[in-house]
Structure formats: structure tokens, C-alpha cells
């Protein structure tokens, strides 16, 4: 293994990135593809390749995505309470989504005790969170979620030449956020500690039906002073 490879965070090493990217793109293409009908065309400002998508994500991450999340995040307890009552109204007031009919994503903050979580997550016990919904903190690699992209960047599928480039923006943002949030942190070291998380989440159920669990993709994890 080269020195450059060993210096990278473990979730960004090629042996992990390649299988993850393939799986993530397949899932995303099945779940999120927007079909273009006969006579319709993609917008003029096209992102035509994976390299373009990566550059777009890197250009926008610090200047646009992080401020969109950290400047005025909504407490996750408020989002969950509102969305349980009326998900559409909650989304219109607090969230953003890719297009009509797509789930809303939110910039959120939460403070709680870190516990064991589901696969790919740490659990977070938050006082005041409605018991119908549990909360997790994504750990690297963040996978295929488009929460950060949908909250932080004003882009749509029609801005891209294909679904792979569109999802590539989300994947790169997720990698950048993982580096930020976990730069000096080992997920296992967080167990039992109280932390404040700022990140993005999407009101959707991966299994269909009612939303019973939310996963926050963090851009920052800090112990409250």
C-alpha cells in the first residue's frame, strides 16, 4: 500500500469506494430517476461527466452546502413532530426537495447521547424526540443518500446529462462531509458521550410505509461546552 493511500481516511480508499459507488448508483437510479418524456430536453447547463459532478460538489461544499446546514438548522425534534402531523406542510416550511412528489430533506441539529445504532450508523438518544421515530448518525462512508445535495445545492436532475452524474454530486458531498465530521473522531469513541450534531436528513422510509427512523448525515459533531 502506498503512503498516499494509507494516509487517506479509510472510507475513501479505492478498495471501499469502488464497490460502494456501484451499489449506491444502482440504488439511487432505481429510487430517484426522473424520466424525460418525448419532446423534452435536458437544460443547457449540463453536467456531463463524473469529473464535472465531483468538481461541482467540491466547489459548492464549503461555500454553499455547509452554511445551508449550519447557519440555521432546525431542531430535529421540531421536524419530526411537524412531519408526523403533516409531512407536506412540514416540508414546505422547513425543507427542500428535488421535485414535486419527492421526499423533503432538512438541515437539522440534535443533541443527545450516542448509543449503538443500526448498520452504518450510531444511535442518538434525543430528549423530546417523539417515540414513534428513532434517530441515527451516519458513519463513513455515508452511502447514496442525497440529503446533503438536496438541502445545500440548488440543482435538479435536468441540469445533468445523466443520472450517474447527478448522483455523483451527492456521493462526493457525502465524502466531503464525512471527512469534516469525522476528521479527528473514531465512531466507536463516541459511544456513551453527549454530542451535538449538525447535518441533513430526509423524511422517508427505506422500507416503505410510515417513517420510523431518520438518519442524519453530519457535517459536524461536537461535544457541547
Amino acid at each position: 500500500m502506498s503512503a498516499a493511500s494509507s494516509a487517506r481516511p479509510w472510507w475513501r480508499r479505492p478498495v471501499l469506494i469502488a464497490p460502494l459507488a456501484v451499489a449506491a448508483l444502482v440504488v439511487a437510479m432505481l429510487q430517484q430517476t426522473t424520466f424525460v418524456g418525448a419532446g423534452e430536453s435536458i437544460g443547457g447547463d449540463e453536467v456531463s461527466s463524473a469529473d464535472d459532478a465531483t468538481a461541482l460538489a467540491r466547489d459548492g461544499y464549503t461555500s454553499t452546502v455547509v452554511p445551508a446546514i449550519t447557519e440555521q438548522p432546525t431542531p430535529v425534534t421540531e421536524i419530526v413532530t411537524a412531519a408526523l402531523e403533516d409531512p407536506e406542510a412540514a416540508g414546505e416550511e422547513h425543507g427542500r426537495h428535488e421535485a414535486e412528489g419527492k421526499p423533503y430533506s432538512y438541515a437539522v441539529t440534535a443533541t443527545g447521547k450516542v448509543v449503538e445504532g443500526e448498520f452504518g450508523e450510531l444511535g442518538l438518544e434525543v430528549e423530546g424526540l417523539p417515540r414513534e421515530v428513532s434517530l441515527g448518525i451516519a458513519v463513513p462512508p455515508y452511502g447514496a443518500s442525497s440529503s446533503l445535495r438536496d438541502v445545500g445545492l440548488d440543482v435538479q436532475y435536468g441540469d445533468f446529462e445523466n443520472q450517474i452524474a447527478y448522483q455523483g454530486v451527492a456521493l462526493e458531498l457525502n465524502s466531503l462531509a464525512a471527512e469534516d465530521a469525522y476528521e479527528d473522531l473514531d465512531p466507536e469513541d463516541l459511544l456513551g458521550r453527549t454530542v451535538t450534531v449538525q447535518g441533513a436528513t430526509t423524511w422517508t422510509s427505506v422500507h416503505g410505509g410510515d417513517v420510523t427512523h431518520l438518519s442524519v448525515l453530519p457535517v459536524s459533531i461536537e461535544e457541547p461546552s
Side-chain angles (χ1 to χ4, degrees):
M1 180 180 298
S2 70
S5 176
S6 63
R8 295 176 185 172
W10 56 268
W11 63 88
R12 286 187 66 89
R13 293 176 189 170
V15 69
L16 291 171
I17 292 174
L20 172 66
V22 172
L25 287 173
V26 170
V27 171
M29 289 173 73
L30 290 173
Q31 292 181 340
Q32 300 180 8
T33 298
T34 302
F35 294 97
V36 178
E40 297 181 28
S41 61
I42 294 173
D45 295 330
E46 295 177 353
V47 174
S48 59
S49 71
D51 288 342
D52 291 339
T54 297
L56 176 64
R58 290 177 177 173
D59 287 345
Y61 177 72
T62 300
S63 63
T64 305
V65 175
V66 172
I69 291 169
T70 60
E71 289 183 357
Q72 288 187 312
T74 305
V76 73
T77 52
E78 184 177 334
I79 295 298
V80 172
T81 300
L84 285 172
E85 181 176 341
D86 188 334
E88 190 66 22
E92 290 179 358
E93 182 175 359
H94 300 289
R96 295 183 64 180
H97 61 177
E98 172 193 341
E100 196 69 29
K102 297 290 187 179
Y104 282 93
S105 295
Y106 300 88
V108 297
T109 184
T111 298
K113 181 181 178 181
V114 179
V115 296
E116 294 282 355
E118 299 184 3
F119 178 76
E121 293 184 348
L122 296 166
L124 190 65
E125 295 180 343
V126 178
E127 185 176 350
L129 186 72
R131 61 184 180 180
E132 297 96 323
V133 178
S134 59
L135 190 67
I137 308 170
V139 299
Y142 287 0
S145 172
S146 61
S147 299
L148 292 167
R149 182 196 67 199
D150 295 342
V151 165
L153 289 182
D154 187 16
V155 295
Q156 298 178 343
Y157 176 75
D159 299 329
F160 297 80
E161 189 173 78
N162 54 54
Q163 178 67 28
I164 293 176
Y166 185 39
Q167 189 61 21
V169 177
L171 291 173
E172 183 62 21
L173 289 176
N174 294 354
S175 293
L176 294 169
E179 289 184 6
D180 262 3
Y182 289 95
E183 180 181 10
D184 300 315
L185 295 175
D186 183 327
E188 291 188 2
D189 292 341
L190 294 174
L191 290 172
R193 294 160 63 179
T194 296
V195 300
T196 295
V197 177
Q198 293 181 317
T201 190
T202 301
W203 186 260
T204 188
S205 172
V206 296
H207 305 296
D210 294 338
V211 176
T212 59
H213 181 77
L214 291 181
S215 181
V216 177
L217 275 64
V219 298
S220 71
I221 302 173
E222 298 179 349
E223 289 186 281
S225 54

